[in-house]
Amino acid sequence: MSWEANVRKVTPYVAGEQPKGQGVIKLNTNESPYPPAPGVARVLREYDAAMLRKYPDSETEPLRSELAAYYGVEREQVFVGVGSDDVLAMAFLTFFNHPSLPVLFPDITYSFYDVWAELFRIPYQVQALDEQFHIKEEDYRKPNGGVIIPNPNAPTGELAPVSMFERILRANPDVVVIVDEAYIDFGGESCLKLIDQYENLLVVRTFSKSRALAGIRIGYAFGSKKLIRYLQDAKYSFNSYTMNSITLTAGVEAVRDDSYFREITDKVIATRERSKKELAALGFSFTDSKSNFIFAAHEKYRAKELFDALRAHHIYVRHWDKPRIENYLRISIGTDAEMNTLFAFLKEYIGA
Ligand code: PMP
């Protein structure tokens, strides 16, 4: 018997590459191409390091109240974590606790869901999207131990209507339904309005994309007070002080500066819509993304070939060697200048 027999073995999530060096065009991890709100830089500059002597607020204040006020909910309906990955991991641990019934999520989706399910020994069953990469809502009407769906979905960028989630919620009163809204700020309609009506709905969001703060690690969630209480209880049983005080202070500034938030999300949306036209002219087809990326396949060129050619020219996009999506590239929306470099390269490579 080796000690290794007792090890919890996991196949970890593989994040997008973080290439070092200058001159790289990084369109592979859905980060914002713009800096965070100017107030964030100011509070970081002015932060009194002497404050770090003390533990941070275990209730994640002042960020929790700021988010509650901004979104018009009560603070007891808000949970804050270290990126939405932390919030989602905690939610899997807390809510997906059925001994045998599987948690349901799409076959093409955020590739961390099955990793958490494996890590926590949660049974799960993937539900195939249809040929157009739409969610088949009837798949979420069978007995299950919970449901998680991103909206817009990733990496497809497909937005499902709130009415679909309402029907899924009505069909699933006995389990927790999680809507992962990592990309909702780029033109989607949120399920947030449903939290007072459905006690079992958790809506998860992040500062990593639309608030341009992937590096600081802030995720948050909305739900009924009861649901959020359960999540807090699990968090306090794991690590009471997940959010550091610098992050809690800086995050507040990102929420307060609403006009900057709107400005950068509008810019990403405008560049995305222009990019759709450019990519279509180059022979790509794609879903009608409502996120900060486009999931595109070319009519003649294999995705892997394009991925390698782009990478050799220091343009990084994302490619998965997985069934059904191996011929797609996920291209994050960069600045207009970055996208122009991408289109110019593709034009030359493809000869369009
Ligand atoms: N959900 C989805 C659907 C994502 O694509 C991502 C980004 N990788 C996350 C959650 C996690 O983002 P973060 O931990 O940076 O908030």
Side-chain angles (χ1 to χ4, degrees), residues 21-43:
Q22 303 270 303
V24 165
I25 296 188
K26 205 174 160 304
L27 308 173
N28 69 336
T29 50
N30 300 340
E31 291 147 337
S32 173
Y34 303 109
V40 172
R42 183 176 44 74
V43 296

mmCIF file of all heavy atoms in Angstrom, residues 21-43:
data_model
loop_
_atom_site.group_PDB
_atom_site.id
_atom_site.type_symbol
_atom_site.label_atom_id
_atom_site.label_comp_id
_atom_site.label_asym_id
_atom_site.label_seq_id
_atom_site.Cartn_x
_atom_site.Cartn_y
_atom_site.Cartn_z
ATOM 1 N N GLY A 21 6.111 39.195 -21.775
ATOM 2 C CA GLY A 21 6.814 39.949 -22.812
ATOM 3 C C GLY A 21 5.948 40.988 -23.481
ATOM 4 O O GLY A 21 4.727 40.971 -23.385
ATOM 5 N N GLN A 22 6.639 41.880 -24.151
ATOM 6 C CA GLN A 22 5.978 42.998 -24.822
ATOM 7 C C GLN A 22 5.473 42.568 -26.195
ATOM 8 O O GLN A 22 5.897 41.563 -26.738
ATOM 9 C CB GLN A 22 7.005 44.129 -25.029
ATOM 10 C CG GLN A 22 7.671 44.607 -23.740
ATOM 11 C CD GLN A 22 6.888 45.732 -23.108
ATOM 12 O OE1 GLN A 22 6.647 46.748 -23.718
ATOM 13 N NE2 GLN A 22 6.473 45.530 -21.872
ATOM 14 N N GLY A 23 4.564 43.340 -26.723
ATOM 15 C CA GLY A 23 4.159 43.150 -28.111
ATOM 16 C C GLY A 23 3.247 41.961 -28.333
ATOM 17 O O GLY A 23 2.982 41.574 -29.465
ATOM 18 N N VAL A 24 2.770 41.372 -27.245
ATOM 19 C CA VAL A 24 1.873 40.232 -27.386
ATOM 20 C C VAL A 24 0.435 40.741 -27.442
ATOM 21 O O VAL A 24 0.074 41.653 -26.704
ATOM 22 C CB VAL A 24 2.050 39.283 -26.166
ATOM 23 C CG1 VAL A 24 0.909 38.296 -26.075
ATOM 24 C CG2 VAL A 24 3.381 38.564 -26.255
ATOM 25 N N ILE A 25 -0.362 40.182 -28.351
ATOM 26 C CA ILE A 25 -1.786 40.526 -28.372
ATOM 27 C C ILE A 25 -2.535 39.366 -27.725
ATOM 28 O O ILE A 25 -2.547 38.253 -28.235
ATOM 29 C CB ILE A 25 -2.267 40.803 -29.813
ATOM 30 C CG1 ILE A 25 -1.523 42.044 -30.329
ATOM 31 C CG2 ILE A 25 -3.781 41.005 -29.851
ATOM 32 C CD1 ILE A 25 -2.006 42.567 -31.645
ATOM 33 N N LYS A 26 -3.114 39.669 -26.577
ATOM 34 C CA LYS A 26 -3.650 38.603 -25.745
ATOM 35 C C LYS A 26 -5.170 38.589 -25.819
ATOM 36 O O LYS A 26 -5.845 39.390 -25.178
ATOM 37 C CB LYS A 26 -3.171 38.849 -24.313
ATOM 38 C CG LYS A 26 -3.124 37.598 -23.520
ATOM 39 C CD LYS A 26 -2.517 37.800 -22.172
ATOM 40 C CE LYS A 26 -2.937 36.672 -21.272
ATOM 41 N NZ LYS A 26 -4.365 36.510 -21.155
ATOM 42 N N LEU A 27 -5.676 37.672 -26.626
ATOM 43 C CA LEU A 27 -7.126 37.577 -26.811
ATOM 44 C C LEU A 27 -7.579 36.174 -26.404
ATOM 45 O O LEU A 27 -8.415 35.556 -27.058
ATOM 46 C CB LEU A 27 -7.484 37.847 -28.283
ATOM 47 C CG LEU A 27 -6.906 39.140 -28.901
ATOM 48 C CD1 LEU A 27 -7.196 39.198 -30.401
ATOM 49 C CD2 LEU A 27 -7.494 40.371 -28.205
ATOM 50 N N ASN A 28 -6.990 35.667 -25.311
ATOM 51 C CA ASN A 28 -7.236 34.251 -24.980
ATOM 52 C C ASN A 28 -7.852 33.991 -23.614
ATOM 53 O O ASN A 28 -8.140 32.848 -23.289
ATOM 54 C CB ASN A 28 -5.928 33.462 -25.096
ATOM 55 C CG ASN A 28 -4.918 33.826 -24.028
ATOM 56 O OD1 ASN A 28 -4.966 34.929 -23.485
ATOM 57 N ND2 ASN A 28 -4.026 32.920 -23.708
ATOM 58 N N THR A 29 -8.054 35.015 -22.779
ATOM 59 C CA THR A 29 -8.644 34.715 -21.456
ATOM 60 C C THR A 29 -9.782 35.673 -21.090
ATOM 61 O O THR A 29 -10.142 35.772 -19.906
ATOM 62 C CB THR A 29 -7.573 34.718 -20.337
ATOM 63 O OG1 THR A 29 -6.808 35.905 -20.435
ATOM 64 C CG2 THR A 29 -6.647 33.529 -20.420
ATOM 65 N N ASN A 30 -10.338 36.335 -22.076
ATOM 66 C CA ASN A 30 -11.503 37.197 -21.856
ATOM 67 C C ASN A 30 -11.287 38.295 -20.821
ATOM 68 O O ASN A 30 -12.225 38.716 -20.134
ATOM 69 C CB ASN A 30 -12.739 36.360 -21.474
ATOM 70 C CG ASN A 30 -13.113 35.370 -22.550
ATOM 71 O OD1 ASN A 30 -12.708 35.534 -23.694
ATOM 72 N ND2 ASN A 30 -13.876 34.358 -22.198
ATOM 73 N N GLU A 31 -10.043 38.735 -20.715
ATOM 74 C CA GLU A 31 -9.782 39.884 -19.842
ATOM 75 C C GLU A 31 -10.266 41.145 -20.546
ATOM 76 O O GLU A 31 -10.487 41.156 -21.756
ATOM 77 C CB GLU A 31 -8.263 40.005 -19.589
ATOM 78 C CG GLU A 31 -7.710 38.881 -18.727
ATOM 79 C CD GLU A 31 -6.281 38.507 -19.092
ATOM 80 O OE1 GLU A 31 -5.867 38.786 -20.250
ATOM 81 O OE2 GLU A 31 -5.594 37.911 -18.249
ATOM 82 N N SER A 32 -10.406 42.238 -19.776
ATOM 83 C CA SER A 32 -10.761 43.507 -20.395
ATOM 84 C C SER A 32 -9.523 44.093 -21.065
ATOM 85 O O SER A 32 -8.426 44.009 -20.507
ATOM 86 C CB SER A 32 -11.272 44.481 -19.333
ATOM 87 O OG SER A 32 -11.462 45.746 -19.927
ATOM 88 N N PRO A 33 -9.672 44.698 -22.242
ATOM 89 C CA PRO A 33 -8.511 45.362 -22.848
ATOM 90 C C PRO A 33 -8.272 46.744 -22.241
ATOM 91 O O PRO A 33 -7.293 47.396 -22.578
ATOM 92 C CB PRO A 33 -8.907 45.474 -24.322
ATOM 93 C CG PRO A 33 -10.395 45.509 -24.326
ATOM 94 C CD PRO A 33 -10.866 44.723 -23.127
ATOM 95 N N TYR A 34 -9.157 47.174 -21.363
ATOM 96 C CA TYR A 34 -9.055 48.519 -20.776
ATOM 97 C C TYR A 34 -8.663 48.427 -19.301
ATOM 98 O O TYR A 34 -8.924 47.418 -18.657
ATOM 99 C CB TYR A 34 -10.394 49.256 -20.934
ATOM 100 C CG TYR A 34 -10.798 49.328 -22.378
ATOM 101 C CD1 TYR A 34 -11.860 48.583 -22.863
ATOM 102 C CD2 TYR A 34 -10.049 50.093 -23.279
ATOM 103 C CE1 TYR A 34 -12.190 48.606 -24.208
ATOM 104 C CE2 TYR A 34 -10.373 50.113 -24.627
ATOM 105 C CZ TYR A 34 -11.444 49.372 -25.080
ATOM 106 O OH TYR A 34 -11.745 49.383 -26.419
ATOM 107 N N PRO A 35 -8.066 49.503 -18.770
ATOM 108 C CA PRO A 35 -7.704 49.468 -17.348
ATOM 109 C C PRO A 35 -8.957 49.578 -16.470
ATOM 110 O O PRO A 35 -10.006 50.011 -16.942
ATOM 111 C CB PRO A 35 -6.812 50.702 -17.178
ATOM 112 C CG PRO A 35 -7.119 51.597 -18.325
ATOM 113 C CD PRO A 35 -7.639 50.748 -19.435
ATOM 114 N N PRO A 36 -8.831 49.203 -15.189
ATOM 115 C CA PRO A 36 -9.981 49.369 -14.290
ATOM 116 C C PRO A 36 -10.280 50.841 -14.026
ATOM 117 O O PRO A 36 -9.493 51.723 -14.398
ATOM 118 C CB PRO A 36 -9.537 48.665 -13.011
ATOM 119 C CG PRO A 36 -8.054 48.572 -13.088
ATOM 120 C CD PRO A 36 -7.688 48.567 -14.527
ATOM 121 N N ALA A 37 -11.398 51.126 -13.390
ATOM 122 C CA ALA A 37 -11.810 52.500 -13.080
ATOM 123 C C ALA A 37 -10.670 53.263 -12.406
ATOM 124 O O ALA A 37 -9.955 52.699 -11.566
ATOM 125 C CB ALA A 37 -13.030 52.470 -12.164
ATOM 126 N N PRO A 38 -10.479 54.540 -12.768
ATOM 127 C CA PRO A 38 -9.361 55.316 -12.211
ATOM 128 C C PRO A 38 -9.339 55.338 -10.679
ATOM 129 O O PRO A 38 -8.265 55.390 -10.072
ATOM 130 C CB PRO A 38 -9.606 56.733 -12.755
ATOM 131 C CG PRO A 38 -10.491 56.558 -13.951
ATOM 132 C CD PRO A 38 -11.274 55.303 -13.745
ATOM 133 N N GLY A 39 -10.487 55.274 -10.040
ATOM 134 C CA GLY A 39 -10.555 55.273 -8.571
ATOM 135 C C GLY A 39 -9.823 54.079 -7.954
ATOM 136 O O GLY A 39 -9.331 54.155 -6.824
ATOM 137 N N VAL A 40 -9.727 52.985 -8.704
ATOM 138 C CA VAL A 40 -9.029 51.796 -8.197
ATOM 139 C C VAL A 40 -7.543 52.119 -8.030
ATOM 140 O O VAL A 40 -6.943 51.843 -6.979
ATOM 141 C CB VAL A 40 -9.227 50.588 -9.147
ATOM 142 C CG1 VAL A 40 -8.361 49.415 -8.731
ATOM 143 C CG2 VAL A 40 -10.701 50.183 -9.208
ATOM 144 N N ALA A 41 -6.958 52.736 -9.069
ATOM 145 C CA ALA A 41 -5.532 53.105 -8.993
ATOM 146 C C ALA A 41 -5.304 54.087 -7.834
ATOM 147 O O ALA A 41 -4.310 53.982 -7.104
ATOM 148 C CB ALA A 41 -5.091 53.740 -10.311
ATOM 149 N N ARG A 42 -6.261 54.996 -7.651
ATOM 150 C CA ARG A 42 -6.100 55.995 -6.578
ATOM 151 C C ARG A 42 -6.087 55.324 -5.200
ATOM 152 O O ARG A 42 -5.185 55.571 -4.410
ATOM 153 C CB ARG A 42 -7.224 57.039 -6.666
ATOM 154 C CG ARG A 42 -7.095 58.159 -5.647
ATOM 155 C CD ARG A 42 -8.158 59.233 -5.798
ATOM 156 N NE ARG A 42 -9.499 58.692 -6.017
ATOM 157 C CZ ARG A 42 -10.252 58.124 -5.087
ATOM 158 N NH1 ARG A 42 -9.815 58.023 -3.843
ATOM 159 N NH2 ARG A 42 -11.450 57.656 -5.386
ATOM 160 N N VAL A 43 -7.039 54.455 -4.905
ATOM 161 C CA VAL A 43 -7.049 53.851 -3.565
ATOM 162 C C VAL A 43 -5.850 52.920 -3.356
ATOM 163 O O VAL A 43 -5.357 52.798 -2.237
ATOM 164 C CB VAL A 43 -8.364 53.107 -3.205
ATOM 165 C CG1 VAL A 43 -9.536 54.049 -3.162
ATOM 166 C CG2 VAL A 43 -8.629 51.933 -4.093
#
